[in-house]
Amino acid sequence: MTDNKTNYLSWDEWDELQNPPPAVTDFDQVVESALSRRGFLGGILAVGSAAAAMGTLGNLMSSTSAQAQDAASRFSFKPIAISTDNTIHVPEGYSWKPLAKWGQPLFSNVPDVDPANGVSLEHSDKVFGENTDGMELFIIGEHQVIAINHEYVNPEINLPHNEKGTPKSADDVKILQNMQGVTVMEVAEGENGWEIVLDSPFNRRIHHNTPMKISGPAAGTDLLKTAADPNGTDCLGTFNNCGAGKTPWGTYLTCEENFNGYFGSTDEAFALPADYKRYGIAAKSQYSYEKFDARFDVSKNPNEPHRTGYIVEIDPSDASSTPIKRTALGRFKHENAAVVVARDGRVVVYLGDDERGEFLYKYVSNGIYVPGGDTSKLLDEGTLFVAKFTDEGTGEWLALTPETTGMKADEIYVFTRQAASKVGATTMDRPEWVAVNPVAIEAYCALTNNSNRAVMKDGKMRTNAGGDVMEISAVNPREANEYGQIVRWYPENDDHADGKFKWDLFVMAGNPDVHKGDAYAGSSNINSGNMFNSPDGMMFDSTGLLWIQTDGEDSNEGQFLGQGNNQMLAGDPATGRIERFLTAPKGAEVTGQTWSADKRTHFVGIQHPDAPFPDGEGKLPRSTVIAVKRDDNALIG
């Protein structure tokens, strides 16, 4: 496959190129198999139906959730229909406006992007980056500051004069590097609505060449040392920043996901280290960085990939501060970081690893969070756990330690996937965002899909890249899972730091119009008016409504007939009711969200639209953050 063709692959497709699936049965055969396997369908529906969504799997609803408002009062909008066009749709009585678009300046001496020429090298680290993703808003004194991720770039848009956007020089590579990472920007609402505050002292771009510190149990290990950093404590850049998180002490957590695609080898004879396979690191990168920047040439710097795949902490209040890679939170394809304070004051961080057959994690700090106290070690010193689910609706968090894994401490935090495999964690259907309910002791994880958890023609189940079998189970109940599901768990003793939990499925997405009476119709809280596929981003508002964003198939054909473009929905944890709030332009993913300080504006990310959005016909598609408001300026929700 040529460089030009790989430039167009999604990160999911890139992973498939490195770990190609074997032949599987077709969809109808898979459904038939699911219906006949040991009567397993009954078990699926007992877990994934409205009964499970209502929390009847062993009285799993917490007392706080049970006191939630009735369903009629929980939604202050009229649900909308699907769309298949090139713009945004929101409910009657709501409106939207762009806040920040790819190439939009953060400083007054920088021009807006010229689509014909792309962004210049001079300005590429001073404008809003591409492919917006996770975001959080911070109140800093009287200022409102949003930190937001830029997951990846479309090279042909940023390098319009190059065939298929293929870099031809080190300067080309640097433009691509600068257009990814993180934007920190002050925003304010005025007569023209919400806008970026140009020249704010908080405005900052963090990209692939920004100096960073490495901290935690892997810092200084030989696995992280390079010729440029013989101490293994200093590095450059953060990569493929997907979801996000926010600490109680006011810092931003950006999450490195598909970092593997940035590395390659200029030496065809170079033998890739064995540990590369589990993380999908190949001899050729997606952006050709290795041809012009030796840091990404694994034949010259084989340890450099070990320095990516972490949670990075950023202080949005200080534009001169150095971001910190927190290795204690593990190295894998981080989707987001959901932070909550446990009953005894310890900090708990829930983490998903977004790849088929990988795992769900939890970190628990040793230290106690004290407002105004020292927080420098809370994300460095603690224990990392991985989830084990049972089909009976219970589970436990398995500690990843030298005693449980047989690995050295530093190895656990550099090769976290291998450590999780050693303790027998449950393989999952692509764990994406985790969200923690602010008004109930419960957490949710979007399992977006897994078309490869399927029976092969030889009757065996497919494995992940580490050889763990992706078995069908109650938490992953469908063999060809094109639609996804959301799992919910309830910590024992109402304590997020507890080692055990009970769980159910809040929803199994599906298509009841195409599938009648089987697992692919979805759970009973899915109907013709609210169906969707591939739940991805999730966040709770302050009232306890769960806002679900999708990144799935928008063909509106076949298995996805009637589901339209990607969308954002609101879900009520107490009742299982789910309603559609927003639909995206054709081709776009809805990803990343946060709220203004007064909760009257909902900021939403629109990534990689195919349509000429948001500037209209004849204009270049631009990933955009939009501001959604009620026309009466009341609270969103």
Side-chain angles (χ1 to χ4, degrees):
M1 185 170 287
T2 66
D3 288 342
N4 289 350
K5 289 183 179 179
T6 58
N7 281 347
Y8 284 91
L9 291 178
S10 70
W11 288 104
D12 188 44
E13 291 167 335
W14 180 263
D15 282 336
E16 288 299 296
L17 184 66
Q18 313 312 322
N19 185 32
V24 297
T25 59
D26 65 29
F27 192 88
D28 290 337
Q29 290 173 310
V30 167
V31 173
E32 182 179 353
S33 177
L35 289 167
S36 64
R37 283 170 59 88
R38 308 186 309 276
F40 192 54
L41 183 61
I44 293 173
L45 295 181
V47 176
S49 67
M54 294 288 285
T56 57
L57 206 167
N59 192 26
L60 295 179
M61 291 296 294
S62 71
S63 58
T64 312
S65 287
Q67 297 170 1
Q69 304 172 44
D70 64 86
S73 65
R74 292 288 284 154
F75 296 84
S76 61
F77 63 90
K78 181 180 179 180
I80 66 172
I82 67 165
S83 69
T84 58
D85 60 13
N86 296 334
T87 190
I88 298 286
H89 294 273
V90 293
E92 180 181 352
Y94 290 76
S95 58
W96 65 274
K97 179 181 180 293
L99 167 67
K101 302 178 284 188
W102 163 73
Q104 188 171 335
L106 303 175
F107 303 94
S108 58
N109 61 347
V110 175
D112 196 6
V113 64
D114 174 8
N117 294 301
V119 179
S120 69
L121 176 59
E122 177 187 3
H123 298 137
S124 57
D125 61 348
K126 301 175 182 66
V127 298
F128 191 74
E130 202 187 356
N131 288 314
T132 172
D133 209 298
M135 67 181 93
E136 295 281 358
L137 184 135
F138 298 85
I139 302 170
I140 304 173
E142 298 181 353
H143 306 273
Q144 297 190 56
V145 176
I146 293 179
I148 184 165
N149 294 340
H150 302 290
E151 186 177 8
Y152 65 99
V153 290
N154 298 101
E156 68 279 6
I157 293 177
N158 290 275
L159 302 173
H161 299 302
N162 295 9
E163 183 181 2
K164 305 299 184 183
T166 302
K168 297 179 179 179
S169 67
D171 283 352
D172 285 350
V173 165
K174 194 167 184 180
I175 290 173
L176 300 184
Q177 292 173 336
N178 286 348
M179 294 305 296
Q180 301 173 72
V182 176
T183 288
V184 181
M185 62 185 186
E186 183 178 355
V187 298
E189 188 175 23
E191 292 183 359
N192 297 321
W194 286 92
E195 296 180 316
I196 299 172
V197 178
L198 296 177
D199 304 317
S200 167
F202 300 106
N203 291 358
R204 179 185 187 187
R205 281 300 319 284
I206 297 166
H207 46 70
H208 290 183
N209 291 293
T210 301
M212 307 205 167
K213 300 294 293 185
I214 302 173
S215 72
T221 177
D222 288 345
L223 293 169
L224 300 189
K225 293 178 180 178
T226 64
D229 175 29
N231 294 322
T233 56
D234 298 277
C235 63
L236 295 177
T238 181
F239 302 88
N240 208 261
N241 303 85
C242 190
K246 185 178 185 179
T247 67
W249 49 94
T251 58
Y252 182 65
L253 301 180
T254 185
C255 306
E256 297 184 324
E257 190 190 24
N258 292 299
F259 60 88
N260 54 305
Y262 295 93
F263 298 95
S265 174
T266 59
D267 180 1
E268 294 182 359
F270 177 71
L272 298 177
D275 65 82
Y276 280 18
K277 180 180 179 182
R278 184 64 183 271
Y279 289 90
I281 300 164
K284 184 179 293 184
S285 74
Q286 191 154 4
Y287 296 144
S288 301
Y289 279 10
E290 71 274 16
K291 297 179 180 179
F292 304 100
D293 188 338
R295 179 158 58 107
F296 298 90
D297 186 344
V298 296
S299 66
K300 298 176 181 177
N301 290 291
N303 273 356
E304 193 67 36
H306 296 161
R307 294 147 64 89
T308 59
Y310 298 102
I311 300 293
V312 184
E313 185 175 15
I314 297 169
D315 182 356
S317 71
D318 181 2
S320 66
S321 61
T322 301
I324 303 173
K325 294 199 173 189
R326 300 291 188 181
T327 64
L329 301 183
R331 175 175 169 262
F332 44 86
K333 293 184 178 180
H334 286 279
E335 181 69 19
N336 81 312
V339 184
V340 63
V341 178
R343 295 181 67 176
D344 62 1
R346 287 182 291 169
V347 175
V348 175
V349 188
Y350 290 112
L351 308 150
D353 184 355
D354 182 12
E355 190 169 313
R356 294 177 179 91
E358 291 299 338
F359 308 116
L360 176 66
Y361 296 85
K362 179 177 79 171
Y363 168 86
V364 182
S365 69
N366 293 341
I368 303 300
Y369 168 62
V370 178
D374 181 14
T375 60
S376 62
K377 297 299 182 182
L378 290 180
L379 299 182
D380 281 347
E381 299 174 353
T383 302
L384 190 62
F385 299 83
V386 66
K388 178 77 171 180
F389 292 80
T390 75
D391 286 355
E392 289 70 45
T394 63
E396 62 179 319
W397 295 100
L398 308 174
L400 300 180
T401 67
E403 293 73 24
T404 61
T405 64
M407 299 169 65
K408 297 178 181 178
D410 60 338
E411 293 175 337
I412 291 170
Y413 296 97
V414 177
F415 306 127
T416 307
R417 285 180 166 179
Q418 291 91 321
S421 292
K422 286 180 179 292
V423 300
T426 300
T427 58
M428 307 289 281
D429 286 348
R430 288 186 61 192
E432 300 248 18
W433 285 67
V434 177
V436 178
N437 195 333
V439 300
I441 310 299
E442 60 189 27
Y444 296 65
C445 181
L447 303 176
T448 193
N449 59 54
N450 187 351
S451 58
N452 292 337
R453 184 189 288 272
V455 176
M456 295 183 286
K457 289 182 178 179
D458 62 3
K460 296 180 179 179
M461 297 297 296
R462 192 187 172 198
T463 65
N464 63 18
D468 301 309
V469 176
M470 294 190 288
E471 293 180 332
I472 296 170
S473 63
V475 73
N476 304 286
R478 294 178 288 195
E479 290 180 292
N481 184 9
E482 300 282 358
Y483 299 121
Q485 66 264 15
I486 297 175
V487 62
R488 167 173 57 185
W489 62 95
Y490 313 85
E492 287 284 285
N493 301 309
D494 284 340
D495 183 3
H496 283 287
D498 198 283
K500 296 184 181 299
F501 58 90
K502 296 178 181 177
W503 70 270
D504 63 14
L505 292 178
F506 174 63
V507 63
M508 290 204 315
N511 193 325
D513 291 352
V514 172
H515 300 283
K516 306 293 184 181
D518 65 36
Y520 299 98
S523 47
S524 323
N525 52 344
I526 292 297
N527 55 62
S528 297
N530 72 357
M531 61 178 171
F532 61 93
N533 72 85
S534 300
D536 188 334
M538 294 194 307
M539 189 174 287
F540 276 96
D541 65 23
S542 58
T543 72
L545 277 183
L546 178 65
W547 294 84
I548 304 163
Q549 300 174 316
T550 72
D551 174 23
E553 175 62 58
D554 65 356
S555 65
N556 202 38
E557 298 174 350
Q559 308 299 327
F560 308 99
L561 184 66
Q563 297 190 333
N565 293 351
N566 278 301
Q567 55 193 279
M568 185 168 77
L569 311 100
D572 182 358
T575 66
R577 180 183 171 196
I578 297 172
E579 301 290 5
R580 186 181 297 111
F581 177 83
L582 175 149
T583 57
K586 187 68 175 176
E589 168 187 353
V590 186
T591 182
Q593 56 185 313
T594 190
W595 287 265
S596 59
D598 62 7
K599 310 302 181 186
R600 300 179 191 277
T601 304
H602 196 163
F603 299 106
V604 180
I606 305 298
Q607 187 190 95
H608 62 70
D610 288 341
F613 174 86
D615 298 328
E617 290 300 323
K619 302 295 184 180
L620 195 67
R622 298 169 73 169
S623 291
T624 302
V625 175
I626 64 170
V628 181
K629 291 181 65 70
R630 280 180 57 158
D631 296 340
D632 61 4
N633 202 35
L635 299 176
I636 291 281

